[in-house]
Amino acid sequence: MTSPSPAPSLPEHERALGASLSADAFKALFRGHPGGVAVITAEGPDGPVALTATSVSSVSVEPPLLIFSVSALSSATPAILASETVVVHLLDADDLPIAQLASTSGVDRFADRTAWSRLVTGEPVYHGVRAWVRCAIVERMNAGGSTVIAAHALQSDIARDVEPGEHGNALVYHNRTWHRLGEHSRADG
């Protein structure tokens, strides 16, 4: 007697879980969910590249891992995906010009040579940002029109630290607008 063959396994993206949200409904959902602002830089074959991201999140302390996603629509994405290392700049409101620069299409994000330099390992790093972390890319996962990247923190610098319990000067992106968080926005009653 032979055992029945297992049911064929469908790829994850083809499993029927019911109707999904429309693109507009999904955008509306996350438009009301603020995200911290970061700029990712890497060295590409034609020079340095940068993009602004609100998807950076810490994952693990031991080992020190973080994740972020890059859209296939960004001109910086191919260079970032091909890189072994990147620099993740964690910004505050004082860094808004850098966030705006890295999110503007069609501009040379590295034209002002006084605003950035290279680490001894070659990656481009913007000067004076709140904090940056040099990371080795350890995993890439395709996710729709984006790629989720897991990165291992190797080296960092904090120019403006935030003491525990202090409000700091956080920069967030909410409903298609930049916002500064501070004592005025505290909501702990």
Side-chain angles (χ1 to χ4, degrees):
M1 183 170 188
T2 63
S3 59
S5 300
S9 177
L10 292 174
E12 184 77 26
H13 67 277
E14 291 182 21
R15 291 192 187 141
L17 298 176
S20 65
L21 290 176
S22 69
D24 288 339
F26 195 69
K27 288 178 190 176
L29 180 69
F30 276 89
R31 201 171 26 248
H33 184 74
V37 181
V39 167
I40 316 295
T41 59
E43 183 59 31
D46 299 322
V49 298
L51 61 80
T52 300
T54 58
S55 59
V56 176
S57 187
S58 64
V59 175
S60 168
V61 176
E62 301 244 350
L65 297 174
L66 58 90
I67 59 169
F68 60 92
S69 65
V70 292
S71 168
L73 301 176
S74 172
S75 61
T77 294
I80 290 171
L81 292 178
S83 294
E84 292 182 21
T85 58
V86 296
V87 176
V88 178
H89 302 73
L90 301 173
L91 308 182
D92 65 14
D94 292 336
D95 302 318
L96 179 58
I98 293 171
Q100 292 170 321
L101 175 67
S103 65
T104 303
S105 295
V107 299
D108 182 352
R109 296 171 179 118
F110 297 92
D112 181 357
R113 288 288 302 164
T114 65
W116 68 281
S117 60
R118 294 185 188 283
L119 297 174
V120 294
T121 49
E123 301 88 351
V125 63
Y126 285 107
H127 300 158
V129 296
R130 187 192 76 75
W132 58 261
V133 57
R134 179 176 161 265
C135 301
I137 295 176
V138 295
E139 199 71 44
R140 296 166 183 85
M141 180 185 80
N142 290 329
S146 295
T147 302
V148 177
I149 296 174
H152 185 121
L154 303 172
Q155 172 189 4
S156 69
D157 182 67
I158 301 173
R160 293 184 297 279
D161 200 2
V162 179
E163 294 297 322
E166 293 295 316
H167 61 77
N169 193 24
L171 177 63
V172 297
Y173 194 71
H174 176 260
N175 198 14
R176 305 179 107 175
T177 307
W178 310 101
H179 293 269
R180 174 190 315 260
L181 297 184
E183 190 61 37
H184 70 281
S185 59
R186 191 176 191 139
D188 62 358

